[in-house]
């Protein structure tokens, strides 16, 4: 009988996450019950936000647990179905987590009808692309000629944010922790300016990259990059709060930036947090627009791929250290 | 010849503000030039926000200076006029600062046509009342049945905010640093709950006072009260950032709350700073509504009055220590 390999959370990290916090275990492939489907994982998503789910305090995703399969979005092929709405061979997106096989209620999987690589539904057409789309366009509504700054700019969300801002006619400035990433943002995606937050001259570099200040800041980091952005914001500026990657991989989160709320008052700034799920009723229209931009060459989706389920912990630890360029996935089977 | 007494900033405070940072000096009463008016001060406003103007870094009001008259809004009687648009005897509001007499370009004074005490134009019908009005109603738009929390709730802005929220049909919870103030908020203004931030059980008291969480937080303080509010906010909550009184009277501002931006993301919160001047084109309509509510007994304006120009530094230092209940003014002449 076929085996299911799965990667479980062996221990909750107290400080930095390590590969040793995970175990690879095997079990028999589960059998679907009435109304359920059995999915074979094709690829899983590796997301910085999932690190927050391993913190001591509960997030929107619920309290962390050990001994359970690591959560994660996946694309999969249906291997068996006990529901008329789903057929064997269908390609679906589902919350498989880091394992070869998973069973789901048929109504919880979403069929993918797409000519391209199904793994695009983990990135540009999935959670990260939609996060970029709604977090930028719906939350901040950038106007032509405005300056948009984005942190983790070469990441899964950030590199899409920057390109969407360019499509809106904005000046785009990206922040990463790497000169090589910054060079690619300028050379391959047309970013107008960049700054490296790991460089001692970061504040000065950011200032020089934003000669007209910043109208919209898409914040993936929190912490000191957010603090620096606050000082560059123009009156009436908007900050879209998407994530706090600077604070995920630690047991001791920093305090918030010193300029809050003082600079919010003096500059009449708006900061707004969002979760992409709140826009679920608009996913279809957003995906159609994203596909059009990809087809016309205005939007490039970077995919950063590891191969083999067993590589997932390494792919995640490396992601948290800033190793990825674009959307990181783990290809599990073909 | 009559003398003008004026209170000048003698030294910029490094830590807490003291009366010794001011000097009372006299000079001849100035003479108005062409197009100018001479005003005799009736009352001056004492505002916590003015403390920020004495900080080392520039605020929206410009960089701090010594040797100049302390700034402040005033109501005044026109004693001499070299402009056809203003008559001797007119009652006006103007930026007189802390002095007996001041000269202004006629176009910069605003005539007050009002049956009540002109000093109301320093409080409920002036900057603080309008700040409450726009900062609550325009920035957060509270809905009937929502819970509204306000800090410095017995202050010039706070006690108006709470009453406007009651008029909107909200549940209102006030935070002050005094049991006596809290008792007055409940007993005299109908607040539904209160908590004392100086009490060791503050977080628990706030929790008990907000059993359904907080939908709207009107923040006058920043710092730890803001931090506590963030934990009580409901999903989709709005925070109106009005001021940072916890950070004004110190040389070492605290960092921002630890929950920023993490809690903004998880709870989809919006934080927005504002300055009342941005709503100047709507002052007339707001004042009309505020007057109606006062006339019908739904809105009570608390005034906390010192007498004599020389008492202004004491009135200000005491205000920063939380000594006021309602709008603090200094009555300078009748």
């Amino acid at each position: 009988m076929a085996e299911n390999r799965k990667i479980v959370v062996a221990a909750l990290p107290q400080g930095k996450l390590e590969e040793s916090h995970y175990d690879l275990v095997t079990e028999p492939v589960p059998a679907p019950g009435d109304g359920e489907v059995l999915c074979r994982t094709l690829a899983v998503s590796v997301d910085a936000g999932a690190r927050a789910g391993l913190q001591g305090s509960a997030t929107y995703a619920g309290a962390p647990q050990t001994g359970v399969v690591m959560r994660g979005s996946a694309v999969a092929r249906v291997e068996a179905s006990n529901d008329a709405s789903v057929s064997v061979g269908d390609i679906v997106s589902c919350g498989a987590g880091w394992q070869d096989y998973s069973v789901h209620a048929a109504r919880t999987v979403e069929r993918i009808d797409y000519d391209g690589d199904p793994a695009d539904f983990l990135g540009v057409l999935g959670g990260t692309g939609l996060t970029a789309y709604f977090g930028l366009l719906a939350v901040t509504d950038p106007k032509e000629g405005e300056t948009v700054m984005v942190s983790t700019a070469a990441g899964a969300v950030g590199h899409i944010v920057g390109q969407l801002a360019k499509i809106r006619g904005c000046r785009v400035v990206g922040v990463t922790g790497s000169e090589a990433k910054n060079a690619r943002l300028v050379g391959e995606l047309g970013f107008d300016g960049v700054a490296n937050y790991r460089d001692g001259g970061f504040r000065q570099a950011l200032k020089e990259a934003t000669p007209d200040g910043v109208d919209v800041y898409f914040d993936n980091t929190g912490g000191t990059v957010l603090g620096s952005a606050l000082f560059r914001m123009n009156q009436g500026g908007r900050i879209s709060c998407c994530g706090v990657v600077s604070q995920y991989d630690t047991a001791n989160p920093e305090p918030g930036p010193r300029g809050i709320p003082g600079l919010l008052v003096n500059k009449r700034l708006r900061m707004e947090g969002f979760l992409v799920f709140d826009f679920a009723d608009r996913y279809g229209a957003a995906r159609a627009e994203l596909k059009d931009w990809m087809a016309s060459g205005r939007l490039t989706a970077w995919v950063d791929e590891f191969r083999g389920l067993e590589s997932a912990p390494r792919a995640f630890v490396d992601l948290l250290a800033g190793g990825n360029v674009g959307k990181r996935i783990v290809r599990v089977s073909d």
Side-chain angles (χ1 to χ4, degrees), chain A residues 17-81:
Chain A
L17 183 76
E18 297 173 8
E19 292 180 52
S20 63
H21 290 109
Y22 292 98
D23 278 338
L24 176 67
V25 302
T26 59
E27 62 175 16
V29 171
D34 276 358
E36 291 183 334
V37 296
L38 173 67
C39 293
R40 172 81 168 101
T41 304
L42 299 177
V44 295
S45 177
V46 182
D47 295 286
R51 177 64 180 83
L54 302 173
Q55 299 286 32
S57 60
T59 66
Y60 63 89
Q65 278 188 287
T66 57
V68 296
V69 69
M70 179 66 184
R71 297 178 200 221
S73 301
V75 288
R77 184 183 302 109
V78 175
E79 301 264 307
S81 174

Side-chain angles (χ1 to χ4, degrees), chain A residues 148-153 172-176 182 185 191-196 206:
Chain A
V148 173
M149 169 179 166
V150 55
S151 54
T152 67
V172 176
V173 175
V175 173
T176 79
N182 282 353
L185 292 175
F191 277 49
D192 300 289
V194 286
N196 180 345
L206 180 62

Side-chain angles (χ1 to χ4, degrees), chain A residues 203-237:
Chain A
R203 283 208 169 209
Q204 184 61 29
L206 180 62
K207 191 172 171 185
E208 287 168 11
T210 58
D212 301 322
V214 173
D215 302 295
V216 167
Y217 172 47
F218 191 104
D219 183 36
N220 282 308
T221 57
T224 56
V225 179
L226 171 58
S228 300
L230 284 167
F231 283 93
R232 295 302 302 154
M233 296 301 292
N234 292 327
Q235 189 173 309

Side-chain angles (χ1 to χ4, degrees), chain A residues 219-302:
Chain A
D219 183 36
N220 282 308
T221 57
T224 56
V225 179
L226 171 58
S228 300
L230 284 167
F231 283 93
R232 295 302 302 154
M233 296 301 292
N234 292 327
Q235 189 173 309
R238 295 88 75 199
I239 299 175
S240 182
C241 300
C242 177
V244 197
V245 72
S246 72
Q247 308 302 306
Y248 291 151
D249 199 19
T250 172
N252 294 300
E254 291 178 87
R258 206 171 283 274
I260 291 176
L263 290 173
L264 301 189
V265 179
N266 284 343
K267 299 187 183 189
R268 297 84 145 171
L269 303 180
R270 174 160 61 80
M271 284 185 81
E272 188 163 353
F274 74 99
L275 291 175
V276 68
F277 318 117
D278 297 334
F279 298 93
D281 60 343
R282 295 161 61 186
Y283 284 179
R287 282 184 175 129
E289 211 165 9
L290 290 163
K291 284 179 198 170
D292 283 348
W293 287 324
M294 289 168 76
S296 67
R298 301 182 77 186
L299 179 62
T300 299
W302 282 344

Side-chain angles (χ1 to χ4, degrees), chain A residues 1 8 12 44 54 59 78 100 111-112 121 130 141 181 188 201 208 217 219 243 245 250 258-259 303 314 334:
Chain A
M1 186 178 186
V8 301
L12 296 176
V44 295
L54 302 173
T59 66
V78 175
D100 288 319
R111 189 161 37 202
I112 294 172
F121 277 74
L130 294 167
D141 193 19
K181 288 179 183 176
E188 298 176 32
E208 287 168 11
Y217 172 47
D219 183 36
V245 72
T250 172
R258 206 171 283 274
V303 178
R314 186 161 49 85
D334 294 316

